[in-house]
Amino acid sequence: MLLDGPERRRSVPPGPRHPRRAGADRPLAASQDEPGSVADEEPGFAVPPLVDQYGLGLSHADIGLGAFESHLAAAVGSRGPAAPGTTFFDSWLGLAVRRWCPPLLGVEPHCTPAHYLAARRALGAYQATRLLLRGCGVGTYLLAAGAVQAPLSAAELASATGAPTYEIVPIQALAGQVADGSHTARGFLAAAADALAGAPARRAVAFAIAPGPLPAAPPDARAVREAAERWLRARARGARPSDPVLLRHLLWSALTTGLPIQLHCPEPDRVADFLAATVGLGTDLVLLPGHGGHRSAARLAAAFPHVYTDVGPAPWETLRLAPFGKLLFSTGARGLPELYVVAARQFAAAMTRLAAEWCAEGVCTPPQAQRIADLVAFGTARRVYRLPAEAGSSAPAPSSARG
């Protein structure tokens, strides 16, 4: 829940907080009953290990203060330097990093950024990543690879975290790779269809695309061939397609595979006609809206049987607008393992507060609150992405010490 669409730029934790009673923001503690879960001090409720349905990957490299701050800046959507006399640690996200991440590396919470980064460097990039991700509460990762330089592969991420990791295939990236070996529009279109159909055999569990406006029907074959010819002539090697006709063709081709498709849609209402046109085709669509679009996306998920959406940074809003089984958790994190930690812990804190409030107000019972958390945390993701039954239920236990 950190970045919007392919460049998801969402501040975590969210700015305005949901009204709560005094004492609802007690520190979180690790549950001793279920490894990887995060529990409040209230007995009988724990946010289970999460399925992160959309993360953008991590870099191998050790990182200094300047590079670390650049990741924080990108995550909060900043396009310039921090205000004079401040750093990007002087932000809501910076506070969250300093609260939750240092204890996972054996450092006191809210230590200075310099002290935290020194401890991080002393451990080395791989060990720091391992400790942070094994302590964040995520039990299964769905990874859209290729979004960062020198990224950890799905296999490397699984090794570092000890958690199952599956791949999301960006349709534009797949088309760019196919085009590198194609010399004609006809050959490219045939190879792209084969690559899309073969994605499930490569451990992929979903496609992802940022399609722009979507008419309610696929383009005709002649228009597609002409678009492919134009793009093949003009593109640089490795470039991704941007022609709207070609993107619509690739999306409609992906619909025939049966794999769910994540739609990056800054303005969800603009894809409503496409959602209506795809009812009954047998493919689930998951909306990943831009900042401020989660309420609209939740309404669309409620309206269409095959549509789901990211729960967003304010679960108390989307849970009131869509059935609970239509909402899924994601970090949207890119580059830093700390961003995975913050997104997971913020979601756990929000769900814990919300469960306490709803139970106190008589909206639901504690068992019902637990079932809601289970659906959003992992249950719906298991079903939509056809994950094994254990997905999200066996994350390594959060730890506040070096290991």
Side-chain angles (χ1 to χ4, degrees):
M1 296 190 289
L2 292 169
L3 304 169
D4 288 327
E7 299 179 358
R8 303 176 81 192
R9 303 189 184 281
R10 181 161 60 246
S11 175
V12 176
R17 305 189 89 175
H18 182 55
R20 60 183 184 277
R21 297 176 307 283
D25 195 25
R26 289 186 294 274
L28 298 175
S31 167
Q32 300 302 310
D33 296 323
E34 183 166 11
S37 65
V38 180
D40 189 58
E41 293 175 359
E42 295 287 342
F45 179 83
V47 177
L50 308 171
V51 172
D52 177 8
Q53 68 148 347
Y54 182 74
L56 287 156
L58 297 161
S59 173
H60 288 284
D62 284 304
I63 193 165
L65 178 60
F68 195 99
E69 282 206 54
S70 71
H71 284 288
L72 295 184
V76 299
S78 176
R79 299 183 181 180
T86 70
T87 76
F88 282 104
F89 279 96
D90 298 313
S91 66
W92 195 250
L93 175 58
L95 287 177
V97 168
R98 294 171 66 184
R99 174 189 179 186
W100 282 311
C101 297
L104 298 175
L105 303 186
V107 182
E108 287 297 315
H110 295 294
C111 64
T112 66
H115 183 54
Y116 174 71
L117 290 176
R120 198 182 190 278
R121 286 193 299 273
L123 285 167
Y126 181 83
Q127 179 67 352
T129 294
R130 177 178 177 273
L131 292 173
L132 289 165
L133 295 184
R134 287 183 177 234
C136 74
V138 174
T140 301
Y141 294 86
L142 275 57
L143 178 66
V148 297
Q149 292 185 342
L152 288 170
S153 68
E156 289 169 327
L157 183 61
S159 176
T161 62
T165 303
Y166 302 89
E167 292 186 358
I168 299 166
V169 177
I171 291 176
Q172 287 104 319
L174 182 66
Q177 294 165 4
V178 167
D180 287 339
S182 302
H183 303 290
T184 66
R186 187 183 301 275
F188 163 72
L189 294 172
D194 289 343
L196 290 168
R202 298 193 301 272
R203 198 173 169 82
V205 296
F207 294 112
I209 191 170
L214 286 173
D220 67 64
R222 180 176 178 179
V224 171
R225 187 173 59 256
E226 291 173 350
E229 289 171 349
R230 288 193 303 270
W231 178 62
L232 288 172
R233 285 195 303 267
R235 76 180 188 93
R237 184 172 178 82
R240 301 181 179 188
S242 57
D243 185 289
V245 172
L246 194 51
L247 289 181
R248 290 201 298 273
H249 167 74
L250 293 170
L251 175 56
W252 280 90
S253 296
L255 283 167
T256 66
T257 69
L259 279 189
I261 301 173
Q262 297 178 343
L263 298 177
H264 299 278
C265 45
E267 300 176 69
D269 288 336
R270 298 183 69 184
V271 302
D273 289 344
F274 173 76
L275 302 182
T278 53
V279 173
L281 296 185
T283 298
D284 290 329
L285 304 175
V286 182
L287 305 180
L288 297 176
H291 181 70
H294 288 89
R295 292 172 63 87
S296 296
R299 293 189 185 98
L300 291 170
F304 296 106
H306 65 311
V307 176
Y308 299 80
T309 187
D310 192 280
V311 69
W316 52 88
E317 294 183 349
T318 49
L319 283 165
R320 286 174 166 83
L321 296 173
F324 308 134
K326 288 298 199 81
L327 301 170
L328 305 92
F329 166 78
S330 75
T331 63
R334 180 205 303 261
L336 294 178
E338 284 84 355
L339 301 181
Y340 285 85
V341 174
V342 168
R345 292 298 180 94
Q346 178 61 19
F347 171 75
M351 289 300 294
T352 298
R353 286 195 298 268
L354 190 60
E357 291 173 6
W358 283 12
C359 291
E361 295 164 4
V363 174
C364 64
T365 65
Q368 289 170 332
Q370 186 66 64
R371 183 171 183 274
I372 294 167
D374 289 352
L375 283 170
V376 180
F378 69 86
T380 302
R382 278 185 188 170
R383 177 167 50 84
V384 170
Y385 297 109
R386 304 168 195 170
L387 303 178
E390 65 273 12
S393 61
S394 58
S399 170
S400 60
R402 298 171 189 253

